[in-house]
Amino acid sequence: MKYERTNVWEQISDEELQELEAYNKEYMAFLSQAKTERLAHDWIVKAALEAGFKPLEEALQGDVKPGDKIVASNHGKGAALFVLGEDIAEGMDIVGSHIDAPRLDIKAVPLHEEGNMAYLRTHYYGGVKLYHWLNLPLALHGVMFKKDGTKVDIHVGEDPDDPVFYINDLLIHLSHKLLQEKASDVIKGEQLQVVIGHSSRGKEKDGEGVADNVRKFLLEKYGVEEADFMSAELEVVPAGPAREVGFDRSLIAGHGHDDRICSFANLKAVLEAQPTKRTKVGLFVDKEEVGSQGNTGMLSAFFENAVAELLGAMHETYDERYLKRAFAHSRVLSADVTAAYDPQFEALGVFEKQNAAMLGCGVSISKYTGSGGKGGSNDANAEFLSDIRQVFEREGVIYQTAELGAVNAGGGGTIAYILANAGAEVVDCGTGMLSMHAPIELASKADAYETYRAYRAFWK
Ligand code: MN
Ligand code: MN
């Protein structure tokens, strides 16, 4: 029988369509609110606590037993939600997603004045087309620490009454020479400077009128000084909420679908997961977009340490072999987005249509990612693909397979290989989408919903 993809919109019942819309309404609220990894973390941990999950530190004070729901937080930028089974050493069923997204970070000494405007200098984070960041209303989110250690939260640009920020582009009238440049050179990294002020009212003789006013404002409003940017993490992202796209409202445009679309599906599914024999874990990590290093990335010991603590609490004696077994016997859905076929760029030959994810055709399974002959990818075992396929068939999940682009067209990676290196069975399984890594990305409500149904099925 000929294989054909199933189009979610054509397949689902009216009742399921209502559930799909309700799910996406919640997802859009998450996407609009959780604009940074810190904000995503806060949303996830709050939802976990409200659903009855206990903080790990608190759980370790008493008895830890099968059926317990526990949340471990990692430096306010990552989290692991455990639904404990009988013996963790027998392996876990893990859905792992990331909550960081490409953006512009404010530098340590960012403020300067030029042409009657004050700017903040940025250093971009993750893979971006630099020219994408021009001419957009921008918001600023993050934390600053004052000299005395006081933490100040800063969030500007999301409330309709807030001001926004902006990076200016050259007018078309004078762009003849610029437009001859390669697209990658049209805007240089150092040119991504954010306009944050213009008025020099009250300028003192020989002073920096505009920048001084910004300094005064920051001191009055937040109590911070210019030097406090040295101990800060401030992220520039597009301002404003996620929006429905199309007359039929079937798509969502928003910042950070990669990978908050899988992260929200992961969260919803783990909050609904019921305790069974095997331990279930919803894992949310930071730093995927820059290589998963650091103490908040997937390569850190955070998750391993949390599992070791739980094993220690549930076994009479702790043995390192339990930990190794727990990982070696785990099954993992690496919950990350993939590229859906984009008809606008058919002529470039960067997609191989027969193996690309199709928008609207459900959650996407990628046996491998990588580049240059699967380089750097986890290449999932056919046995595990078969297991997952059986789960999805049993639960009626609409799924397809996906390769991220044509052979040698480029490529990408995920966190999949990291847990696979510890011996787990891992496959990439997430949402196909368009305009990946653009400031505003595009995804199908149908695929968002099937991604949630896929993770829910995995844990059933
Ligand atoms: Mn991703
Ligand atoms: Mn990415």
Side-chain angles (χ1 to χ4, degrees):
M1 205 168 93
K2 188 177 186 302
Y3 166 69
E4 276 181 283
R5 290 178 185 75
T6 305
N7 187 308
V8 177
W9 298 108
E10 295 162 18
Q11 178 70 27
I12 63 172
S13 66
D14 290 348
E15 200 182 357
E16 285 169 316
L17 185 63
Q18 277 188 7
E19 206 184 301
L20 176 154
E21 291 294 352
Y23 172 81
N24 279 288
K25 200 172 171 202
E26 272 189 75
Y27 169 52
M28 287 177 70
F30 174 75
L31 193 61
S32 303
Q33 174 73 33
K35 286 275 186 90
T36 66
E37 63 279 20
R38 284 177 191 269
L39 290 167
H41 162 275
D42 293 351
W43 177 297
I44 289 162
V45 170
K46 182 166 176 265
L49 295 176
E50 282 171 6
F53 281 69
K54 239 194 239 172
L56 177 65
E57 300 74 19
E58 193 186 312
L60 292 174
Q61 302 297 314
D63 279 348
V64 178
K65 53 191 186 312
D68 283 358
K69 296 183 173 189
I70 292 168
V71 53
S73 162
N74 186 15
H75 291 93
K77 297 177 181 179
L81 276 59
F82 292 86
V83 178
L84 293 178
E86 285 168 20
D87 183 3
I88 301 174
E90 285 174 13
M92 301 167 280
D93 288 342
I94 303 166
V95 176
S97 57
H98 68 92
I99 51 178
D100 61 320
R103 64 193 187 238
L104 308 181
D105 288 343
I106 300 296
K107 288 191 182 193
V109 187
L111 179 63
H112 75 109
E113 173 177 341
E114 199 69 57
N116 289 337
M117 283 183 291
Y119 290 93
L120 291 181
R121 296 182 188 276
T122 69
H123 195 138
Y124 70 97
Y125 171 98
V128 304
K129 293 181 178 175
L130 300 183
Y131 67 80
H132 271 163
W133 288 82
L134 310 179
N135 318 315
L136 290 172
L138 298 168
L140 189 65
H141 294 283
V143 296
M144 292 182 81
F145 286 87
K146 297 201 268 188
K147 200 155 53 181
D148 67 1
T150 314
K151 179 182 173 183
V152 181
D153 282 297
I154 297 188
H155 300 283
V156 186
E158 304 295 350
D159 190 300
D161 290 332
D162 277 357
V164 294
F165 307 100
Y166 188 85
I167 301 175
N168 41 295
D169 193 3
L170 186 64
L171 63 169
I172 181 70
H173 315 67
L174 300 180
S175 290
H176 180 73
K177 196 175 161 206
L178 188 65
L179 288 174
Q180 309 307 310
E181 298 275 351
K182 283 195 300 181
S184 57
D185 293 335
V186 166
I187 287 294
K188 308 280 197 292
E190 294 299 345
Q191 287 176 284
L192 292 178
Q193 299 183 20
V194 184
V195 175
I196 53 156
H198 159 59
S199 169
S200 54
R201 191 171 174 79
K203 176 178 173 171
E204 288 170 26
K205 196 169 172 291
D206 300 329
E208 284 188 307
V210 186
D212 282 342
N213 281 342
V214 169
R215 291 181 184 100
K216 261 181 244 165
F217 175 83
L218 291 175
L219 189 61
E220 277 166 26
K221 169 97 183 178
Y222 299 108
V224 297
E225 296 186 8
E226 186 177 353
D228 298 335
F229 280 106
M230 289 194 286
S231 46
E233 282 181 348
L234 294 167
E235 303 179 13
V236 176
V237 295
R243 299 291 298 268
E244 292 173 313
V245 174
F247 288 120
D248 58 6
R249 299 171 181 266
S250 55
L251 301 138
I252 300 169
H255 173 70
H257 277 311
D258 177 9
D259 183 32
R260 296 182 190 127
I261 198 165
C262 298
S263 292
F264 187 71
N266 187 359
L267 175 65
K268 283 288 283 184
V270 75
L271 293 183
E272 290 171 17
Q274 296 303 313
T276 50
K277 197 161 179 285
R278 276 173 77 83
T279 293
K280 299 161 188 177
V281 188
L283 187 56
F284 305 87
V285 297
D286 179 32
K287 294 288 186 282
E288 192 278 339
E289 297 294 357
V290 291
S292 296
Q293 317 86 328
N295 65 3
T296 58
M298 189 63 235
L299 286 167
S300 82
F302 159 72
F303 182 51
E304 198 179 310
N305 291 352
V307 174
E309 290 287 0
L310 291 170
L311 276 168
M314 293 177 86
H315 283 252
E316 281 192 15
T317 53
Y318 177 78
D319 188 323
E320 173 110 23
R321 285 174 296 183
Y322 299 151
L323 183 65
K324 292 191 180 284
R325 264 181 227 159
F327 280 92
H329 295 166
S330 284
R331 310 187 315 151
V332 184
L333 296 183
S334 166
D336 208 343
V337 298
T338 187
Y341 170 72
D342 188 336
Q344 295 279 37
F345 296 94
E346 170 68 42
L348 276 178
V350 294
F351 293 98
E352 192 270 279
K353 203 172 168 182
Q354 194 166 317
N355 282 283
M358 284 290 154
L359 224 53
C361 291
V363 69
S364 293
I365 299 172
S366 298
K367 183 180 189 299
Y368 46 84
T369 58
S371 58
K374 304 188 181 180
S377 97
N378 163 64
D379 199 351
N381 295 321
E383 287 82 353
F384 187 46
L385 290 170
S386 170
D387 287 350
I388 295 303
R389 232 185 113 196
Q390 287 175 59
V391 168
F392 291 174
E393 291 289 343
R394 188 186 70 217
E395 299 297 326
V397 174
I398 300 175
Y399 66 95
Q400 56 184 326
T401 63
E403 281 202 26
L404 198 155
V407 176
N408 283 345
T414 66
I415 63 168
Y417 75 96
I418 301 167
L419 285 167
N421 284 354
E425 292 283 8
V426 187
V427 66
D428 281 296
C429 177
T431 322
M433 54 170 294
L434 300 184
S435 298
M436 194 191 296
H437 285 205
I440 306 284
E441 303 168 319
L442 189 64
S444 161
K445 284 184 179 175
D447 299 333
Y449 177 62
E450 288 302 323
T451 302
Y452 153 66
R453 293 190 65 240
Y455 303 159
R456 194 174 65 178
F458 176 61
W459 277 322
K460 212 158 183 183

